[in-house]
């Protein structure tokens, strides 16, 4: 399948039209919101699509998780552990929020059923 054929957007599968530094700044801005703003809200402020921002955030997360590699191709253990710790802390935060919200939601629906 030829993705670069007639009628296809030149950006599909190509290099981003934005400088790499802009992408890093966009990711930093999204993370600074600490979950209080959506991809769409941050992206709208920057004049980009939410999907572009989401892609940059995922790429940054994947790079952090994979860790840095030394000259021998081995993963830098402290970098890998820091990334794993960050992932676990984020998951714990989400679980705590769920534990906080779910009982209230259940109570709300229980009242509506009566």
């Amino acid at each position: 399948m030829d993705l670069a054929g007639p009628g296809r957007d030149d950006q599909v599968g190509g290099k981003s039209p934005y400088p790499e530094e802009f992408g890093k700044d966009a990711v930093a801005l999204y993370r600074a919101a600490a979950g209080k703003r959506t991809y769409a809200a941050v992206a709208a402020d920057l004049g980009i699509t939410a999907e572009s921002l989401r892609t940059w955030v995922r790429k940054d997360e994947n790079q952090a998780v994979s860790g840095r590699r030394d000259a021998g191709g081995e993963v830098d253990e402290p970098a890998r552990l820091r990334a794993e710790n960050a992932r676990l802390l984020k998951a714990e935060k989400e679980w705590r929020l769920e534990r906080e919200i779910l009982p209230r939601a259940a109570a709300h629906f229980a009242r509506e059923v009566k």
Side-chain angles (χ1 to χ4, degrees):
M1 173 173 25
D2 182 18
L3 293 179
R8 296 296 295 184
D9 183 358
D10 289 334
Q11 293 303 316
V12 174
K15 186 172 164 67
S16 173
Y18 305 105
E20 186 175 341
E21 186 175 335
F22 178 78
K24 288 180 181 181
D25 290 344
V27 170
L29 184 62
Y30 173 76
R31 290 215 171 111
K36 295 178 183 169
R37 299 186 68 207
T38 63
Y39 287 113
V42 174
D45 287 348
L46 298 171
I48 60 174
T49 66
E51 190 58 35
S52 290
L53 179 58
R54 185 177 295 114
T55 299
W56 294 337
V57 170
R58 286 182 186 154
K59 180 180 174 185
D60 188 62
E61 287 172 355
N62 288 339
Q63 287 175 345
V65 169
S66 66
R68 295 182 181 89
R69 299 194 180 271
D70 64 16
E74 295 295 319
V75 174
D76 180 21
E77 190 67 7
R80 187 190 65 76
L81 293 173
R82 280 191 298 275
E84 178 69 7
N85 189 42
R87 186 187 67 76
L88 292 172
L89 288 172
K90 181 180 176 186
E92 180 185 18
K93 184 177 179 182
E94 290 173 3
W95 294 332
R96 287 179 189 270
L97 185 61
E98 285 177 4
R99 286 197 332 232
E100 213 176 282
I101 292 172
L102 289 176
R104 290 192 305 241
H108 171 75
F109 289 117
R111 283 191 303 268
E112 285 194 10
V113 170
K114 288 183 180 180

